[in-house]
């Protein structure tokens, strides 16, 4: 079949500061993919300002869709499914993508399908999973730090964060150190030049049997150290900042791996699949290799560009759903806080 005769899916992801879109064939082949982030604009405010994200998305999403359709060489009439992140995320940014997707689906006579953002982060690994059962899935991102298993196609939450999420504390510590948003990538780079044993921070819920995470202790102990140094010296000099980044990053990684290993022991699991922005962390990937040598537990990571928010992960889940004739109503609302447990209400 020639490319123009095939059926394709267009997907949009705009749950936070990004505008992402992709076109996949109905066999899951990536035809076109693009992403614009407004993170640089948010930098001066030290975090995401939803109004700025919406303004950016309002002009960028239509341009991006036009661009990926043009580069793909596919006729609009062959885009038979339009999928979009329905939630969780920020209400305004979600609405930017959803409203565009609805309008496009309506005018193009395409099926419309809303997708749960976390299901996307979990499902990005689906090509490398032989059997979904008996694996552990960990989504560590700006909004979530959760551990799951899947049984008979049902996602079961084993552990959640009780306070901040792992990505959130990377962003907050970066902000205190006057580093740009998002904090994870820059702390990752700076840590390479620092001594990770220089400072000791608290690993939350370390000796507890729960599979929940807690990151607020690391955040507060790092914050307190920074304030003490700032009080003495006014500004934090470069080598000290590098050591703080490295020691902080190591503690976050050990906190994550600590709970993952506990979950593997409790549930007799030997394969762990990561998703979410923090999974792009190079030190986490190194530690995971070492942990495999010690324990035999295998860790799988998506490509770095598919750890952070992207539209491919939304399209992949939509393709699975359409095979079981799932669609969403054009009246679908945004679901800013929807739990993964309720993901099935998005489509019927
Ligand atoms: O999955 P994501 O793009 O958006 C959410 O769903 O939240 O994750 C964004 C988060 C941010 O907090 C960012 O600082 C963090 O992922 N992040 C990283 C790295 N790259 C992104 N954290 C640690 N190391 C990285 N290399
Ligand atoms: Zn995400």
């Amino acid at each position: 079949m020639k490319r123009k005769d095939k059926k394709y899916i267009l997907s949009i992801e705009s749950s936070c500061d990004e505008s992402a879109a992709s076109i996949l064939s109905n066999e899951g082949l990536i035809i076109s993919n693009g992403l614009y982030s407004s993170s640089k604009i948010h930098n001066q405010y030290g975090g995401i300002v939803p109004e700025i994200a919406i303004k950016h998305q309002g002009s960028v999403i239509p341009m991006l869709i036009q661009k990926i359709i043009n580069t793909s060489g596919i006729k609009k009439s062959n885009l038979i499914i339009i999928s979009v992140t329905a939630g969780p995320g920020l209400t305004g940014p979600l609405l930017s993508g959803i409203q565009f997707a609805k309008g496009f689906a309506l005018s193009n006579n395409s099926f419309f399908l809303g997708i749960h953002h976390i299901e996307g982060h979990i499902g990005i690994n689906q090509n490398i999973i032989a059997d979904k059962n008996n694996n552990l899935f960990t989504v560590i991102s700006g909004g979530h730090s959760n551990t799951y298993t899947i049984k008979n196609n049902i996602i079961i939450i084993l552990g959640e964060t009780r306070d901040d999420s792992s990505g959130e504390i990377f962003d907050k510590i970066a902000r205190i150190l006057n580093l740009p948003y998002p904090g994870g990538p820059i702390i990752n780079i700076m840590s390479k030049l620092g001594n990770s044993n220089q400072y000791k921070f608290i690993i939350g819920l370390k000796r507890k049997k729960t599979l929940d995470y807690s990151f607020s202790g690391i955040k507060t102990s790092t914050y307190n150290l920074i304030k003490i140094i700032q009080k003495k010296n006014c500004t934090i000099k470069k080598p000290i900042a590098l050591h703080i980044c490295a020691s902080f990053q190591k503690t976050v990684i050990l906190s994550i791996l600590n709970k993952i290993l506990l979950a593997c022991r409790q549930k007799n699991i030997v394969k762990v699949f990561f998703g979410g922005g923090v999974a792009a962390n190079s030190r986490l990937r190194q530690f995971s290799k070492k942990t495999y040598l010690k324990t035999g537990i295998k860790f799988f990571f998506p490509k770095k560009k598919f750890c952070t928010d992207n539209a491919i992960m939304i399209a992949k889940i939509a393709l699975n759903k359409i095979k079981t004739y799932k669609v969403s109503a054009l009246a679908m609302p945004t679901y800013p806080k929807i739990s993964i447990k309720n993901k099935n209400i998005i489509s019927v």
Side-chain angles (χ1 to χ4, degrees):
M1 215 188 309
K2 279 189 250 143
R3 177 175 273 199
K4 65 179 169 48
D5 302 325
K6 277 193 185 172
K7 296 184 172 87
Y8 297 89
I9 175 167
L10 171 69
S11 68
I12 303 173
E13 150 63 39
S14 69
S15 61
C16 196
D17 59 332
E18 77 298 324
S19 305
S22 68
I23 295 176
L24 264 65
S25 73
N26 65 347
E27 293 108 12
L29 206 72
I30 300 172
I31 308 296
S32 203
N33 183 37
L35 183 144
Y36 289 104
S37 171
S38 55
S39 64
K40 283 209 172 79
I41 316 172
H42 300 282
N43 241 336
Q44 54 189 301
Y45 304 99
I48 293 173
V49 184
E51 287 73 17
I52 294 177
I54 301 163
K55 209 171 152 198
H56 189 257
Q57 285 157 339
S59 54
V60 161
I61 291 175
M63 267 171 25
L64 178 61
I65 304 284
Q66 183 80 70
K67 190 171 152 192
I68 65 165
I69 292 176
N70 288 349
T71 53
S72 70
I74 287 162
K75 283 202 289 188
K76 271 198 223 158
S77 54
N78 287 334
L79 294 168
I80 59 152
I81 310 159
I82 312 301
S83 65
V84 64
T85 304
L90 300 170
T91 307
L94 283 170
L95 207 53
S96 301
I98 290 173
Q99 291 303 77
F100 188 91
K102 283 180 180 178
F104 194 104
L106 194 61
S107 64
N108 205 45
N109 221 3
S110 315
F111 293 108
F112 172 68
L113 197 45
I115 300 295
H116 195 288
H117 183 80
I118 300 300
E119 197 177 5
H121 275 307
I122 296 174
I124 192 74
N125 290 302
Q126 60 186 265
N127 293 358
I128 49 170
I129 302 173
D131 175 13
K132 277 197 221 159
N133 295 306
N134 245 336
N135 294 317
L136 203 76
F137 299 87
T138 303
V139 176
I140 38 177
S141 68
H144 293 83
S145 296
N146 296 351
T147 305
Y148 311 93
T149 51
I150 299 180
K151 232 182 198 148
N152 303 326
N153 264 334
I154 296 172
I155 299 174
I156 302 157
I157 305 174
L158 297 179
E160 295 175 288
T161 180
R162 292 191 182 174
D163 35 58
D164 297 87
S165 84
S166 47
E168 193 180 356
I169 63 166
F170 269 99
D171 299 335
K172 285 182 175 165
I173 293 304
R175 187 175 175 182
I176 304 165
L177 288 170
N178 285 322
L179 298 172
Y181 173 86
I186 183 76
I187 288 182
N188 194 171
I189 292 167
M190 288 179 63
S191 295
K192 290 181 183 164
L193 303 169
N195 175 4
S196 61
N197 296 319
Q198 185 81 17
Y199 301 110
K200 292 266 169 288
F201 300 124
I202 294 164
I203 296 183
L205 301 172
K206 189 177 177 184
R207 294 188 204 293
K208 300 271 190 290
K209 282 196 180 134
T210 175
L211 298 179
D212 283 349
Y213 295 102
S214 169
F215 295 104
S216 67
I218 311 173
K219 181 189 69 182
T220 309
S221 52
T222 310
Y223 178 85
N224 288 343
L225 173 82
I226 294 169
K227 286 292 149 199
I228 291 167
I229 299 172
Q230 279 174 340
K231 222 175 182 178
K232 274 193 206 150
N233 306 320
C234 286
T235 53
I236 296 199
K237 299 223 167 59
K238 191 90 178 264
I240 295 177
L242 300 176
H243 299 328
I244 293 174
C245 285
S247 306
F248 162 78
Q249 176 180 269
K250 182 180 171 186
T251 318
V252 179
I253 291 168
L254 291 180
S255 303
I256 294 167
L257 289 178
N258 178 35
K259 287 302 170 190
I260 287 177
L261 291 182
L262 184 63
C264 288
R265 277 201 296 276
Q266 283 184 9
K267 304 288 168 193
N268 217 2
I269 290 174
V270 291
K271 284 186 186 168
V272 178
F273 293 85
F274 280 98
V278 181
N281 188 278
S282 58
R283 198 83 175 108
L284 171 65
R285 290 166 182 243
Q286 284 167 1
F287 266 83
S288 299
K289 275 190 194 147
K290 282 191 196 158
T291 308
Y292 164 65
L293 295 177
K294 278 195 212 150
T295 62
I297 293 168
K298 278 193 176 167
F299 298 88
F300 299 87
F301 291 89
K303 281 185 185 163
K304 286 186 183 174
K305 65 175 176 181
F306 296 143
C307 288
T308 44
D309 290 347
N310 64 88
I312 305 280
M313 66 185 200
I314 301 304
K316 283 193 170 189
I317 300 298
L319 279 173
N320 292 346
K321 290 209 187 290
I322 219 79
K323 281 181 197 147
T324 54
Y325 307 104
K326 295 260 193 299
V327 287
S328 302
L330 279 176
M332 184 191 86
T334 56
Y335 292 100
K337 295 213 183 301
I338 187 171
S339 158
I340 194 91
K341 287 183 210 151
N342 300 327
K343 68 181 173 61
N344 290 341
I345 64 169
I346 300 173
S347 55
V348 285

